[in-house]
Amino acid sequence: MALKEKENYQQSVKIPKPITYSAKALQAISTKLASKFVKKLFATPIKHPIPKRELSMDAAALKEKMYVPSIKKEIVVYSYGENTKKVLLVHGWSGRGTQLAKIADALLCEGFCTVSFDAPSHGRSPGKTSNMLEFIDAVIEINKHYGPFETAIGHSLGSMALLNAVKKGLPLKNMVLIGSGDLINDIIYDFTRKLGLKDKVGKTLKQEFDKLAKEDVNNFSASIAAKDVAIPVLLFHDEDDPDSPIASSKNIHKNLKNSQLIVTKGLGHRKILGNDQVINKLVEFIKKD
């Protein structure tokens, strides 16, 4: 089956119509007002309740609060298992520290323990808004307190954060990325277009994030960070992922020095995290290196 190289980002969670109406109404008044509204909306994760499949890990893991000085925020860290070989797990946007529970259980059986966390303003961590830059800072700070790690596994935005963290010096033997996003420009403009807004609102929103990053925020795109990553990387991406196009992982794969891309079918963006075949290949890769 031929796959398109260029695809749009999608959102499996539909944006409520009252929100799109509000965004359009503000746009009619002022681009600045619309951008301010969308910036807050874009930066506000949804805190989902913990599903039953994650309750065992949630109950067994040691939970500790950790302060991240660079962003002046507190996060909740989960230490799961007592083995000495550590694996860092990084969830995606609107995720939580137990989201990769089935992967964590498989790793425990293979002699690893896992460290994961509720990213700023996610799960049990306090706050209302966050961004990928805060994910990166949280990963680097966790390594100082809980590392060193043998490897790390990221999902979605967590994959993007890990690539940037490794680029900044996070020491790992290898890394696994699942359903990663890629170009920040595309993600921003796709979000504003789905709200029915003109691209000038997306441009203003992007400029706001440039100020926050103190550089072109698109420099933090996954495929750009990948150019500076030399460790072995295994990528998984479903060809029918409704949240992130498979072109994202293809672009990342092209720019990595040592990587393998495995394409799945029918697992979407989240079901892939619990698939036995994916988990077996993931564990085999980690143990091999």
Side-chain angles (χ1 to χ4, degrees):
M1 173 180 167
L3 296 170
K4 296 186 230 176
E5 290 297 327
K6 264 183 120 181
E7 298 180 42
N8 292 324
Y9 283 82
Q10 302 293 327
Q11 292 293 328
S12 56
V13 178
K14 299 293 183 183
I15 299 173
K17 286 185 178 180
I19 291 177
T20 61
Y21 294 152
S22 298
K24 288 179 181 178
L26 288 170
Q27 178 180 244
I29 300 168
S30 162
T31 298
K32 187 175 180 180
L33 280 175
S35 298
K36 187 176 180 180
F37 173 78
V38 173
K39 180 183 177 183
K40 185 174 181 181
L41 189 63
F42 187 80
T44 304
I46 300 169
K47 292 194 176 188
H48 299 286
I50 300 173
K52 288 182 180 179
R53 62 181 176 273
E54 298 172 24
L55 290 177
S56 178
M57 179 179 175
D58 183 68
L62 173 65
K63 303 172 196 67
E64 298 176 295
K65 294 178 180 178
M66 189 192 81
Y67 184 68
V68 184
S70 59
I71 58 175
K72 298 179 181 178
K73 288 187 176 182
E74 189 176 74
I75 61 174
V76 174
V77 180
Y78 299 74
S79 297
Y80 188 47
E82 298 179 353
N83 298 312
T84 55
K85 294 188 292 183
K86 298 179 183 178
V87 178
L88 177 63
L89 308 178
V90 187
H91 67 75
W93 189 253
S94 293
R96 60 208 157 265
T98 55
Q99 193 166 15
L100 280 66
K102 192 167 180 181
I103 293 173
D105 285 337
L107 289 169
L108 258 64
C109 293
E110 295 294 335
F112 295 91
C113 68
T114 67
V115 175
S116 57
F117 63 101
D118 290 336
S121 304
H122 288 68
R124 291 184 172 91
S125 296
K128 293 183 178 179
T129 62
S130 187
N131 57 65
M132 192 182 76
L133 302 179
E134 293 188 347
F135 272 62
I136 298 167
D137 282 5
V139 166
I140 290 171
E141 192 66 25
I142 283 173
N143 183 63
K144 293 177 185 176
H145 295 270
Y146 293 88
F149 296 101
E150 297 275 322
T151 188
I153 301 168
H155 176 236
S156 195
L157 183 71
S159 296
M160 298 173 70
L162 277 176
L163 282 164
N164 279 279
V166 171
K167 177 181 177 180
K168 292 181 102 175
L170 176 69
L172 298 171
K173 290 181 180 178
N174 52 39
M175 179 166 57
V176 179
L177 310 177
I178 305 171
S180 182
D182 182 18
L183 297 174
I184 294 175
N185 274 348
D186 289 355
I187 295 170
I188 290 173
Y189 280 101
D190 184 77
F191 186 76
T192 54
R193 287 168 187 166
K194 283 193 169 52
L195 286 167
L197 303 177
K198 296 176 182 177
D199 280 353
K200 62 181 180 180
V201 175
K203 182 179 179 181
T204 303
L205 179 61
K206 197 264 182 184
Q207 289 171 343
E208 288 295 316
F209 285 111
D210 287 346
K211 290 178 186 175
L212 182 67
K214 298 179 181 177
E215 62 177 289
D216 184 346
V217 74
N218 204 52
N219 291 337
F220 293 88
S221 296
S223 59
I224 294 175
K227 295 176 182 179
D228 294 310
V229 173
I231 61 173
V233 179
L234 177 61
L235 302 102
F236 292 95
H237 210 116
D238 195 79
E239 63 182 29
D240 301 314
D241 189 326
D243 286 57
S244 179
I246 193 170
S248 297
S249 286
K250 285 188 169 186
N251 290 338
I252 296 166
H253 177 49
K254 287 176 185 176
N255 287 338
L256 286 165
K257 296 176 176 65
N258 184 357
S259 65
Q260 178 187 0
L261 171 60
I262 296 176
V263 178
T264 63
K265 184 172 177 61
L267 299 178
H269 193 63
R270 294 172 185 83
K271 191 176 178 181
I272 194 171
L273 297 175
N275 180 264
D276 289 335
Q277 288 182 306
V278 168
I279 293 172
N280 289 340
K281 287 182 180 294
L282 177 157
V283 171
E284 181 184 337
F285 170 78
I286 289 173
K287 289 176 68 178
K288 180 181 67 176
D289 289 296

